[in-house]
């Protein structure tokens, strides 16, 4: 969306925060820096709230689990654990990407329709690598499960990646 010029006219230079809301859409916040005597344009994407496994609309978070199995040919227990953990993180990242691709941008398009290649796909791939590990646990059979999380909205969220 674009704020009408008259709403941002005569604001002093500085740091601002634009909050965007619409019924049926996730709220979003975008940081805006207004330089002295210059116009600023800030794009925003309000994502329609559509039930999507792995998306917590109220918290503005995307969450996915990943599970890694221990390799059979590891040299020692420490090496096996590290390899199992890396496998769990890789699985979690793939699952985050699958969830992101299902998120709707509007009535007819999903994020997946934007990721057919090019810069948007590269930005989404980079975004997914910025996950936070929320939990990690060892399963009884030696596998490791991790829960990964990414912001859906806000200054570092998926909505910023799409808006850019």
């Amino acid at each position: 969306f674009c704020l009408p010029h008259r709403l941002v006219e005569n604001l002093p230079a500085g740091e601002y925060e634009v909050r965007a809301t619409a019924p049926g859409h996730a709220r979003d916040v975008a940081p805006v820096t207004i330089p002295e005597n210059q116009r600023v344009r800030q794009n925003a994407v309000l994502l329609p709230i559509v039930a999507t496994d792995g998306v917590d609309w109220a918290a503005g978070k995307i969450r996915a689990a990943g599970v890694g199995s221990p390799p059979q040919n590891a040299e020692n227990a420490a090496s096996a654990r590290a390899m199992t953990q890396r496998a769990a993180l890789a699985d979690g990242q793939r699952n985050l990407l699958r969830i992101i691709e299902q998120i709707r941008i509007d009535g007819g398009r999903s994020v997946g329709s934007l990721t057919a290649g090019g810069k948007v796909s590269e930005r989404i791939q980079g975004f997914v690598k910025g996950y936070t590990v929320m939990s990690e646990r060892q399963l009884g059979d030696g596998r490791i499960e991790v829960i990964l999380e990414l912001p859906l909205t806000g200054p570092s969220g998926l909505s910023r990646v799409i808006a850019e």
Side-chain angles (χ1 to χ4, degrees), residues 150-163:
L150 287 166
L152 180 63
T153 58
S156 60
L158 176 65
S159 59
R160 282 298 110 242
V161 174
I162 295 169

Side-chain angles (χ1 to χ4, degrees), residues 24-25 46-50 102-111 113:
H25 291 75
L46 292 180
L47 301 170
I49 297 174
V50 177
Q102 294 174 23
I103 294 173
R104 307 299 295 169
I105 297 169
D106 56 34
R109 296 182 307 156
S110 67
V111 174
S113 69

